[in-house]
Amino acid sequence: MIYLHRRIFKSQLTGSATIQELLQNMFVGEMLREPSGIWVVSPWISNVVLIDNRSGNFDSLNPEWGRREIRVADVLVALMVRGAFVNVVTRNVDTNKAFLSRLADLARSYAVEEQVSITIRDQLHTKGILLSRSLLLGSMNLTHNALTINDEWIEFSIDAADLARARLEFSEYLRPSCRSSTLPRTFSGSPGFFLGETNSPGIRSCLERGRLSGRGKSRLGLSC
């Protein structure tokens, strides 16, 4: 019998290793598949470890990584290099700046800035990770505290109907319903798209530090 769903409840004492192993397996599996659209929806997000390669077990996925802990930005950019398009949906809060800046820097260094979209929604409460063949939903942000300390529940699914519904719902985040004319229109002269309320110095300075010089249209932008 094949089970299409799994529900996990975690606390500081139990379940943390299970969730971290699940995340690792999800993204290792994604690295082995054809490129797809990826969604990371998390109101609070940081550059946490996704894959533990200190023993070299995953050297074949990306020899450039080396034997170390591989973090969210590293994995997302590696997937972009393979052709995936990555959508990150998060909030406009200072604690997210470091991750957004790191992701922008890596995307620029590998010339894959056209393959990532950053969407800012200040009322965001949904949490989810959607890959080509797996879906993770629940209460958990993609942060250190959520993975190791907080009480959380998550539901994992490989049901094709669940994945299709989540992809349809998440795509609503890309609707340009709050277009702002006050936003910068380019990264170093390259046309870009920016949607949403990004007047915050935090997000604007993050994008300035991660300024993308580019080839053609930059897809690293902000949405409401």
Side-chain angles (χ1 to χ4, degrees):
M1 179 180 295
I2 298 176
Y3 292 95
L4 300 181
H5 305 87
R6 182 181 182 186
R7 186 169 293 172
I8 301 172
F9 295 88
K10 72 164 286 291
S11 68
Q12 187 172 1
L13 300 178
T14 62
S16 178
T18 301
I19 289 180
Q20 292 180 63
E21 183 178 2
L22 176 58
L23 283 169
Q24 175 172 275
N25 290 340
M26 287 175 65
F27 280 95
V28 167
E30 195 68 15
M31 291 283 292
L32 298 173
R33 297 188 179 101
E34 288 295 316
S36 177
I38 293 170
W39 287 86
V40 178
V41 181
S42 184
W44 285 267
I45 188 167
S46 54
N47 204 22
V48 296
V49 174
L50 285 183
I51 298 174
D52 186 352
N53 195 44
R54 289 175 294 182
S55 63
N57 289 338
F58 303 109
D59 281 349
S60 60
L61 291 179
N62 187 348
E64 293 183 9
W65 281 344
R67 298 194 173 185
R68 61 182 177 88
E69 293 178 320
I70 314 305
R71 298 181 178 272
V72 179
D74 300 303
V75 177
L76 293 181
V77 169
L79 289 165
M80 292 179 218
V81 170
R82 285 163 167 76
F85 190 91
V86 172
N87 297 281
V88 177
V89 186
T90 190
R91 284 191 179 202
N92 181 0
V93 293
D94 287 344
T95 52
N96 293 338
K97 283 197 303 181
F99 169 75
L100 295 177
S101 181
R102 178 60 178 162
L103 183 62
D105 289 343
L106 277 178
R108 177 185 56 189
S109 67
Y110 282 89
V112 291
E113 59 267 32
E114 295 185 4
Q115 290 166 237
V116 56
S117 168
I118 297 174
T119 302
I120 300 298
R121 289 183 67 96
D122 288 336
Q123 303 304 316
L124 183 70
H125 192 64
T126 303
K127 294 98 174 175
I129 297 173
L130 176 61
L131 306 182
S132 59
R133 297 186 186 177
S134 60
L135 170 66
L136 197 68
L137 295 173
S139 67
M140 187 182 73
N141 288 289
L142 198 55
T143 63
H144 174 77
N145 284 352
L147 289 173
T148 61
I149 298 174
N150 298 345
D151 291 351
E152 307 280 0
W153 75 269
I154 63 168
E155 185 164 330
F156 173 73
S157 176
I158 57 172
D159 187 293
D162 288 345
L163 272 63
R165 282 193 295 268
R167 197 170 300 279
L168 184 62
E169 292 295 330
F170 287 170
S171 67
E172 290 295 305
Y173 289 129
L174 299 181
R175 291 169 60 89
S177 57
C178 319
R179 186 177 299 274
S180 170
S181 62
T182 64
L183 302 175
R185 302 306 303 175
T186 63
F187 284 113
S188 296
S190 297
F193 77 91
F194 301 86
L195 308 172
E197 300 171 356
T198 58
N199 293 322
S200 162
I203 293 295
R204 291 172 73 95
S205 65
C206 166
L207 292 174
E208 288 296 319
R209 292 199 301 123
R211 185 175 293 275
L212 304 180
S213 59
R215 309 169 179 177
K217 184 176 182 181
S218 169
R219 295 287 297 182
L220 195 148
L222 294 173
S223 311
C224 63

